[in-house]
């Protein structure tokens, strides 16, 4: 078949991450010319975490910050991004998945966390894909959610599903489960953004593209 060039995707990725790390976006988020109040961590070719300024509050600032990120990226890059906002990176990533293809999900309370874990398929938990996902579905059913996985005793997780204590999936599950009992208004809020389908006339970055890792 026809060979697909990865260059347009790499170029768009570079522009996306450059925009997220730009002084322009930082100054808008911080509300001043200081660019050191925002920390950006590149997670993949199409995904990044933006750690927001000290003093940010999920309930009052989360949705506003998310829309600022979306607006700036769309204006500068012509890309549509979905955004998840939470008090840790794992929940932000899960919220971002729930917000796709073109939306925002802000997790501000224990009830929001419970809803997110109840809505999200278990195989979407980082480290729980592939062969492990097959075992999870065989044990808990094809519609198993993260909340279902969190209720399974550790002995059964290890015996029937094969989640050993050192596995990344086990770490993810512990973070997700313990988040239900964690104070949810942390002094720094984290946004997870991921490029998704673009509108007509705009460039598109698709995470399903075969060249992506």
């Amino acid at each position: 078949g026809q060979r697909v060039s990865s260059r347009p995707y790499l170029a768009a990725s570079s522009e996306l991450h450059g925009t997220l790390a730009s002084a322009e976006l930082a100054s808008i988020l911080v509300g001043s010319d200081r660019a050191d109040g925002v920390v950006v961590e590149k997670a993949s070719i199409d995904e990044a975490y933006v750690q927001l300024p000290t003093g940010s509050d999920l309930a009052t600032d989360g949705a506003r910050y998310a829309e600022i990120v979306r607006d700036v990226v769309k204006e500068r890059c012509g890309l549509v991004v979905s955004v998840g906002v939470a008090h840790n990176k794992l929940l932000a990533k899960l919220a971002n998945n729930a917000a796709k293809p073109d939306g925002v999900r802000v997790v501000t309370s224990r009830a929001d966390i419970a809803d997110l874990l109840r809505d999200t398929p278990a195989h979407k938990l980082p480290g729980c894909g592939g062969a492990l996902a097959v075992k999870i579905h065989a044990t808990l059913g094809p519609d198993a959610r993260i909340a279902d996985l969190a209720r399974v005793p550790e002995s059964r997780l290890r015996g029937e599903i094969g989640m050993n204590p050192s596995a990344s999936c086990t770490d993810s599950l512990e973070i997700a489960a313990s988040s239900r009992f964690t104070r949810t208004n942390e002094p720094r809020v984290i946004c997870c953004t991921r490029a998704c389908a673009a509108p007509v006339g705009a460039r598109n970055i698709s995470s399903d593209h075969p060249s992506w890792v």
Side-chain angles (χ1 to χ4, degrees), residues 19 22-35 38 52-53 64-65 67-73 75-76:
T19 297
S22 67
E24 175 189 353
L25 179 59
S27 65
I28 296 173
L29 293 174
V30 177
S32 70
D33 293 331
R34 292 181 57 219
V38 177
L52 298 177
R64 180 171 63 88
Y65 282 140
E67 292 299 342
I68 288 173
V69 170
R70 280 162 50 84
D71 290 345
V72 172
V73 169
E75 180 179 349
R76 287 193 53 172

Side-chain angles (χ1 to χ4, degrees), residues 16-95:
L16 170 67
H17 288 292
T19 297
L20 292 175
S22 67
E24 175 189 353
L25 179 59
S27 65
I28 296 173
L29 293 174
V30 177
S32 70
D33 293 331
R34 292 181 57 219
D36 60 351
V38 177
V39 178
V40 179
E41 176 187 335
K42 181 177 179 179
S44 71
I45 192 172
D46 68 336
E47 185 175 32
Y49 296 100
V50 181
Q51 188 169 327
L52 298 177
T54 301
S56 301
D57 182 86
L58 284 168
T60 59
D61 299 323
R64 180 171 63 88
Y65 282 140
E67 292 299 342
I68 288 173
V69 170
R70 280 162 50 84
D71 290 345
V72 172
V73 169
K74 185 174 182 180
E75 180 179 349
R76 287 193 53 172
C77 306
L79 297 170
V80 174
V81 295
S82 57
V83 178
V85 185
H87 66 281
N88 66 50
K89 288 190 287 187
L90 175 62
L91 291 178
K93 183 179 182 69
L94 296 177

Side-chain angles (χ1 to χ4, degrees), residues 152-168:
V152 176
E154 182 179 352
S155 59
R156 192 179 177 199
L157 288 176
R158 298 178 65 177
E160 296 182 38
I161 299 177
M163 288 175 58
N164 64 69
S166 62
S168 60

